[in-house]
Amino acid sequence: MFVNSNGYNLGIREDEVVVNDVDLPPWAKKPEDFVRINRMALESEFVSCQLHQWIDLIFGYKQRGPEAVRALNVFHYLTYEGSVNLDSITDPVLREIPEAYFIRDPHTFLLTKDFIKAMEAQIQNFGQTPSQLLIEPHPPRSSAMHLCFLPQSPLMFKDQMQQDVIMVLKFPSNSPVTHVAANTLPHLTIPAVVTVTCSRLFAVNRWHNTVGLRGAPGYSLDQAHHLPIEMDPLIANNSGVNKRQITDLVDQSIQINAHCFVVTADNRYILICGFWDKSFRVYSTETGKLTQIVFGHWDVVTCLARSESYIGGDCYIVSGSRDATLLLWYWSGRHHIIGDNPNSSDYPAPRAVLTGHDHEVVCVSVCAELGLVISGAKEGPCLVHTITGDLLRALEGTENCLYPRLISVSSEGHCIIYYERGRFSNFSINGKLLAQMEINDSTRAILLSSDGQNLVTGGDNGVVEVWQACDFKQLYIYPGCDAGIRAMDLSHDQRTLITGMASGSIVAFNIDFNRWHYEHQNRY
């Protein structure tokens, strides 16, 4: 809305300057900065603390009367609700009277046509005050700034001296952990961190929601001595490994990586691709048994992704293949199958077919909130599709960015793409390249914080790094691990980062994105 991208002729100003893009204030280098910084301001704690005062002025007890006078909040009388109702002036005679006709005194008059026009112009130019909803002061919102002086507060504006690494969990199998899914919400039947290794041995590691300082959501003094993640007893005791091992044959040419797996939001099912028969399959994490085989592609399925889940566990699943297409499926949380109808679970139909790539699809991300699927092939630009199958645009990187490998999308519409040889690009939803960087690491995993402000990366160097997503400014480097990082995920409260390692272990890091937040560093 700030850019005249269509090149419309908007005229010339009196000083002979051509009207084009919106002029921005000095603190915004580009329109994206202007929107991002305004959003940060409007969603800041500073604004939250004073929101009730604005409500009092616009909708509340300071809108009219003596309180409005005291608050310098008085406007032209015509702007107030009820002072004039243009719709009620239906009498054609009133609309046609040629001039003001006064009755008895200068303050009593009939509405004339000109007066009605004047009122309409007043309202069109200056607006009308909204309805007065409250006659008592609105209570302030509970804000981190109000709580910041409480002892042992886990919230913002409180220095938290916590160690970087919370725990390391080593599985008996030395196979690299290539997929991590942290579905840790307390209301789940089994809050857990599900891990899958290169050998397709999966583990459901129970989550104890005790991480964080006293007072944090889910903190329990009874369990305070527990570590947050408890190893799957079937793996720890080596008693039920058969239950946890996927033995179905995969295509020999498939490289097992994080894109080969999807875990449902309730931790009850795991979807796996790469099978020689061009299917992907659904397994129960409880029994380890195969529950559904899904066909649709003309070649081996190379990657899977799922969207955020709706109430009930429904979500979108996207499969990408060597046939250069993607298929969009619907996962029913109620029936625990791909497709809506349990009677036709043997032959579910995809919701959409996404085309446009020339090579094997290697990475994909789907965002239900935006209704978009963003995918990358072995070579060429990444493509943006709607969930109905329409191709919107291609995300063209620079000449060095030809081989996309990882994609992460925020609900604000920013897309982070990792290309081979350490190259990153940040695109807007309209395909504009906003930022790029190059790092000296072969990155294996990337993820965005829930607000889309921070990017976390990890790779073969075994180092977790935190970046500001909008401009790739480096915010933090965690201590290096003794093995490469293959996969990552964040707990539901965004306070714990779990990484899957090439050595067959997982590492839990303490992460608090607030510590890099503008307001944390610039206290009011």
Side-chain angles (χ1 to χ4, degrees):
M1 62 183 284
F2 303 109
V3 180
N4 184 18
S5 53
N6 293 312
Y8 292 127
N9 181 6
L10 302 174
I12 300 174
R13 298 190 328 202
E14 288 181 1
D15 58 3
E16 297 188 352
V17 174
V18 175
V19 178
N20 195 23
D21 295 344
V22 173
D23 286 342
L24 299 172
W27 46 263
K29 294 177 182 173
K30 51 191 177 185
E32 290 79 14
D33 284 343
F34 183 73
V35 173
R36 179 177 58 83
I37 295 168
N38 264 298
R39 176 175 278 164
M40 285 173 64
L42 289 169
E43 296 175 0
S44 69
E45 291 298 332
F46 189 69
V47 169
S48 294
C49 283
Q50 301 179 72
L51 204 55
H52 63 290
Q53 297 180 36
W54 176 81
I55 294 170
D56 289 339
L57 288 168
I58 308 301
F59 300 102
Y61 80 109
K62 291 183 181 179
Q63 191 200 82
R64 301 179 184 215
E67 289 294 341
V69 175
R70 271 195 282 273
L72 302 178
N73 192 36
V74 180
F75 298 90
H76 191 281
Y77 75 96
L78 282 179
T79 65
Y80 289 95
E81 185 185 46
S83 64
V84 61
N85 185 351
L86 294 174
D87 295 332
S88 70
I89 306 172
T90 56
D91 187 343
V93 175
L94 288 181
R95 288 186 175 270
E96 295 302 324
I97 292 175
E99 56 188 27
Y101 178 64
F102 292 97
I103 305 170
R104 289 190 301 277
D105 61 70
H107 303 291
T108 308
F109 52 88
L110 287 171
L111 294 174
T112 71
K113 191 176 181 181
D114 291 339
F115 188 70
I116 293 169
K117 279 186 179 174
M119 282 193 299
E120 286 178 338
Q122 166 78 24
I123 291 165
Q124 285 169 355
N125 282 281
F126 297 101
Q128 277 187 298
T129 309
S131 301
Q132 186 176 18
L133 304 177
L134 308 163
I135 54 172
E136 293 180 353
H138 193 284
R141 176 183 163 188
S142 294
S143 159
M145 289 181 78
H146 292 142
L147 301 172
C148 63
F149 299 113
L150 292 179
Q152 297 171 318
S153 165
L155 297 167
M156 287 171 60
F157 313 103
K158 180 86 178 161
D159 289 324
Q160 296 184 13
M161 296 303 292
Q162 291 181 302
Q163 74 275 25
D164 282 331
V165 178
I166 300 169
M167 64 174 292
V168 179
L169 201 64
K170 180 76 175 74
F171 294 109
S173 153
N174 290 321
S175 182
V177 177
T178 56
H179 188 83
V180 174
N183 297 311
T184 60
L185 281 164
H187 67 75
L188 294 174
T189 311
I190 310 171
V193 175
V194 179
T195 57
V196 193
T197 68
C198 252
S199 58
R200 292 181 302 148
L201 183 72
F202 69 90
V204 183
N205 309 288
R206 187 172 280 276
W207 172 262
H208 296 292
N209 199 18
T210 59
V211 181
L213 297 180
R214 193 173 302 170
Y219 185 90
S220 163
L221 274 176
D222 301 334
Q223 297 182 327
H225 61 283
H226 284 209
L227 290 170
I229 305 169
E230 178 189 342
M231 189 185 294
D232 186 333
L234 295 183
I235 298 294
N237 305 331
N238 212 20
S239 58
V241 171
N242 292 340
K243 225 177 170 184
R244 298 287 190 240
Q245 183 76 55
I246 306 296
T247 54
D248 296 355
L249 285 174
V250 293
D251 191 277
Q252 293 300 303
S253 62
I254 282 286
Q255 276 190 318
I256 301 291
N257 59 35
H259 297 121
C260 295
F261 310 97
V262 156
V263 177
T264 58
D266 57 8
N267 293 318
R268 293 178 60 186
Y269 293 88
I270 181 167
L271 286 69
I272 303 178
C273 69
F275 297 102
W276 61 273
D277 62 359
K278 304 161 190 169
S279 71
F280 68 91
R281 305 184 181 192
V282 183
Y283 296 85
S284 163
T285 56
E286 189 182 346
T287 63
K289 289 184 177 173
L290 175 66
T291 61
Q292 191 179 17
I293 302 177
V294 182
F295 294 99
H297 287 284
W298 295 94
D299 206 333
V300 174
V301 180
T302 48
C303 59
L304 294 170
R306 81 164 168 85
S307 69
E308 61 275 35
S309 283
Y310 299 110
I311 295 170
D314 290 7
C315 63
Y316 290 112
I317 301 288
V318 177
S319 58
S321 166
R322 277 193 187 144
D323 64 14
T325 69
L326 300 109
L327 298 179
L328 183 89
W329 310 85
Y330 199 75
W331 171 263
S332 169
R334 181 181 172 195
H335 302 298
H336 309 295
I337 56 166
I338 295 283
D340 303 317
N341 188 354
N343 298 323
S344 61
S345 63
D346 291 342
Y347 302 102
R351 290 282 181 96
V353 181
L354 315 181
T355 59
H357 287 295
D358 297 325
H359 301 275
E360 167 187 337
V361 181
V362 294
C363 53
V364 62
S365 183
V366 53
C367 180
E369 189 174 344
L370 296 174
L372 294 178
V373 177
I374 303 179
S375 55
K378 213 165 192 176
E379 188 178 330
C382 291
L383 300 181
V384 183
H385 288 86
T386 66
I387 53 174
T388 54
D390 297 320
L391 176 60
L392 290 181
R393 62 183 52 87
L395 303 179
E396 297 274 4
T398 57
E399 57 185 18
N400 296 324
C401 299
L402 297 174
Y403 309 106
R405 293 296 174 262
L406 303 168
I407 296 175
S408 189
V409 185
S410 77
S411 57
E412 276 75 39
H414 287 141
C415 178
I416 308 287
I417 301 173
Y418 169 73
Y419 300 88
E420 268 189 359
R421 299 181 184 169
R423 297 183 175 97
F424 284 83
S425 294
N426 181 2
F427 291 92
S428 76
I429 209 65
N430 293 323
K432 182 179 178 183
L433 180 60
L434 301 177
Q436 51 189 351
M437 73 168 173
E438 192 170 334
I439 62 173
N440 188 25
D441 189 6
S442 181
T443 302
R444 297 294 192 105
I446 64 173
L447 56 86
L448 285 162
S449 58
S450 60
D451 61 5
Q453 300 289 331
N454 303 286
L455 170 71
V456 186
T457 64
D460 289 346
N461 290 353
V463 177
V464 172
E465 296 178 81
V466 184
W467 313 81
Q468 194 165 283
C470 62
D471 57 4
F472 294 129
K473 174 188 171 188
Q474 192 173 66
L475 299 174
Y476 197 70
I477 304 176
Y478 279 89
C481 301
D482 59 356
I485 294 164
R486 295 294 180 87
M488 290 192 298
D489 203 6
L490 281 163
S491 61
H492 71 281
D493 59 4
Q494 304 277 293
R495 289 181 168 273
T496 308
L497 174 74
I498 302 105
T499 61
M501 313 301 292
S503 56
S505 59
I506 57 174
V507 180
F509 293 90
N510 175 57
I511 193 163
D512 180 7
F513 294 110
N514 287 332
R515 80 171 101 161
W516 303 297
H517 195 283
Y518 173 83
E519 288 181 274
H520 183 74
Q521 296 166 0
N522 301 272
R523 302 179 187 187
Y524 300 109

